[in-house]
Amino acid sequence: QDMTASILLLVCLAVPRYIAATVHTVIAGDTNDLITKLALVADHDVVLLPPGDYVFDLNYDPNIGGYRDGDLCNAMPTVSGPPWLDSDLLIRGTGSIRSDVKLVGATFENCNRNVVIENLSLYSVPTGPSGYVWKPVEVDSGTGTMLRNTYIQVPVIANPQDCYNGICFRALTIYVARAAVMYSTIEANPPVPSMGANTGLQDEGYGLCVIKSTFAGFKKGLDFEYFVENFQANPDVDELNKNYKIYGNDLSQNTIPIDADPTVTNLFSPNTPKGQGYFVNTFIDLLRYNTSYDAPYLPIKIRVKNVKKAGETTIYRVPSAYPEPPPGFISASEPQYYQFDSTAKFGKKSNVFFKQSDIQSKFPGFSGSLTCMYHNGTTWTTVSHVVYGGWYKITFPKKSMKGLIAIFKN
């Protein structure tokens, strides 16, 4: 179901030589301008796509050769070596609903940076004389990809191509990387699972979050065949729940909703249980956490006052300082914007704590105090905070624990 593009935002603001990200706004419906803008992106930049139909070359066929303009990651500047683990990009449709922005024949294949793709639609269609179909999203190289409020449609593959281990087409493929799918719909067209050999998402990576999303029309909705092997012999429950968060989804419209050993998936346990007066002390960054690299927990903890229904509470650091701070405030060069989401049902507003030393380290030469602000989708309002035992403490403005939090100075 479509959601509005605006998101609730909570931001604490702090300065000296802080660098504002560049916002690249694409000409509506202009694929050439989109490619041009992607060629200019730098760390922490934003690419905005106004409503329109962005239709890429549908004549390209890999069996013949040539140039495929729909490979959007290929249009971006090359990022090589370990720094790409910290290279960030936000790509967002600016329509009121995700179907306002349609990318036809476009793919995101190994962007080698942490990317959030938000509020748009991707359509994979047969191209060239042989009718080849590209996977719309493939993630590798240790980075993270977030699909938020995104719609993806792929055709049914009845005559398999690119078959491997009995899997003949995957809408999303996660290799040595991390991925998250939130508030999104991924479906085959038509969504009739008996017609083809499609898989919605195959995970071979280092972590996956699927929250409140729909996979429909696939032989396998989610394929965890590979990751399960790592947990079957000696299941580490803490490690499993740290890396895999699968909650609140509709997987019923697939032949096999989840292909994984139930003795492993039954170990999934949400981090926000029913109860009151307790702390959730450890949060991974859904976009970046990777056990193969130095990936510490986020400098955040939450004091839950009352939870009526258990659920999973998640956080990730947004790639860019967008929406932009109000006049008189500047983001740190590494934006301290944090997106909060939860499938739990809260009875009261919760307290959020940011570790003071970690936050201040993002602002070289920091001195003075921070200003906390809340964004309602159009405007900013101030939110009070206090210093509490080495932590900045705020009360989250929404009982639902859904919104974005960041940090700056005036």
Side-chain angles (χ1 to χ4, degrees):
Q1 184 178 8
D2 279 347
M3 299 167 56
T4 57
S6 61
I7 54 177
L8 299 178
L9 184 64
L10 179 65
V11 176
C12 303
L13 298 145
V15 280
R17 51 167 189 81
Y18 305 133
I19 302 170
T22 300
V23 178
H24 307 272
T25 302
V26 177
I27 298 172
D30 191 328
T31 57
N32 290 328
D33 190 55
L34 172 55
I35 292 169
T36 299
K37 294 294 196 308
L38 288 173
L40 301 174
V41 297
D43 194 15
H44 305 305
D45 278 3
V46 184
V47 177
L48 299 181
L49 283 77
D53 298 336
Y54 300 79
V55 182
F56 294 86
D57 183 7
L58 304 182
N59 295 314
Y60 175 79
D61 192 317
N63 298 314
I64 297 174
Y67 173 73
R68 181 165 68 96
D69 66 350
D71 185 354
L72 300 187
C73 293
N74 189 56
M76 302 175 190
T78 300
V79 182
S80 59
W84 45 245
L85 294 173
D86 299 315
S87 185
D88 295 344
L89 178 65
L90 171 63
I91 300 174
R92 178 183 291 177
T94 62
S96 58
I97 55 177
R98 63 193 180 199
S99 59
D100 285 344
V101 177
K102 300 181 178 69
L103 276 63
V104 181
T107 64
F108 292 91
E109 184 175 351
N110 303 328
C111 288
N112 290 339
R113 44 179 49 81
N114 301 310
V115 181
V116 173
I117 301 166
E118 185 173 0
N119 197 46
L120 53 79
S121 298
L122 289 171
Y123 294 83
S124 292
V125 295
T127 63
S130 67
Y132 192 87
V133 181
W134 294 90
K135 287 173 285 191
V137 178
E138 181 175 298
V139 187
D140 204 343
S141 70
T143 53
T145 295
M146 163 76 67
L147 299 175
R148 185 181 181 91
N149 189 31
T150 299
Y151 175 79
I152 294 179
Q153 184 186 98
V154 299
V156 169
I157 307 298
N159 297 311
Q161 59 172 312
D162 189 28
C163 289
Y164 175 72
N165 238 10
I167 300 170
C168 299
F169 182 82
R170 295 142 290 184
L172 311 178
T173 304
I174 317 302
Y175 291 117
V176 186
R178 148 158 238 108
V181 182
M182 305 185 72
Y183 310 105
S184 296
T185 296
I186 291 85
E187 66 179 10
N189 181 28
V192 181
S194 62
M195 289 181 61
N198 297 27
T199 293
L201 184 151
Q202 182 183 12
D203 176 70
E204 302 177 27
Y206 292 143
L208 177 68
C209 172
V210 183
I211 299 285
K212 287 188 172 294
S213 294
T214 297
F215 285 77
F218 299 102
K219 181 178 179 180
K220 299 179 181 181
L222 304 178
D223 184 356
F224 294 159
E225 179 181 357
Y226 292 89
F227 104 83
V228 164
E229 296 175 359
N230 298 324
F231 295 96
Q232 280 176 326
N234 298 295
D236 184 331
V237 177
D238 290 338
E239 188 71 13
L240 176 69
N241 283 285
K242 189 163 56 178
N243 284 284
Y244 289 87
K245 302 175 182 297
I246 316 295
Y247 297 101
N249 304 294
D250 181 2
L251 305 174
S252 63
Q253 302 172 69
N254 306 288
T255 303
I256 303 172
I258 300 179
D259 185 12
D261 185 345
T263 62
V264 176
T265 57
N266 286 342
L267 298 175
F268 289 158
S269 177
N271 64 2
T272 312
K274 184 178 179 180
Q276 57 188 357
Y278 64 86
F279 275 91
V280 182
N281 291 306
T282 52
F283 288 95
I284 66 165
D285 187 331
L286 292 184
L287 187 61
R288 299 170 183 83
Y289 185 84
N290 191 320
T291 54
S292 294
Y293 300 98
D294 181 18
Y297 287 99
L298 291 169
I300 296 170
K301 63 181 180 180
I302 296 175
R303 183 181 183 274
V304 174
K305 293 183 179 179
N306 181 266
V307 174
K308 295 183 176 181
K309 182 180 178 182
E312 184 73 16
T313 302
T314 59
I315 310 173
Y316 63 92
R317 181 168 57 81
V318 177
S320 308
Y322 190 85
E324 296 167 286
F329 296 89
I330 305 172
S331 170
S333 58
E334 181 183 302
Q336 294 299 288
Y337 283 53
Y338 295 92
Q339 176 65 40
F340 286 68
D341 294 277
S342 185
T343 62
K345 184 176 181 180
F346 295 85
K348 296 180 179 179
K349 294 179 181 179
S350 301
N351 295 127
V352 177
F353 297 78
F354 295 88
K355 193 171 184 180
Q356 190 176 18
S357 59
D358 283 45
I359 297 303
Q360 290 184 359
S361 71
K362 304 302 179 182
F363 303 95
F366 170 81
S367 64
S369 61
L370 301 178
T371 301
C372 297
M373 307 185 80
Y374 168 75
H375 196 273
N376 64 5
T378 55
T379 58
W380 298 94
T381 55
T382 300
V383 177
S384 61
H385 75 281
V386 297
V387 177
Y388 183 89
W391 299 78
Y392 294 116
K393 175 186 174 183
I394 65 169
T395 297
F396 205 92
K398 291 292 181 180
K399 191 166 62 175
S400 63
M401 279 296 294
K402 184 178 180 182
L404 189 64
I405 298 181
I407 304 171
F408 318 74
K409 180 188 173 184
N410 57 5

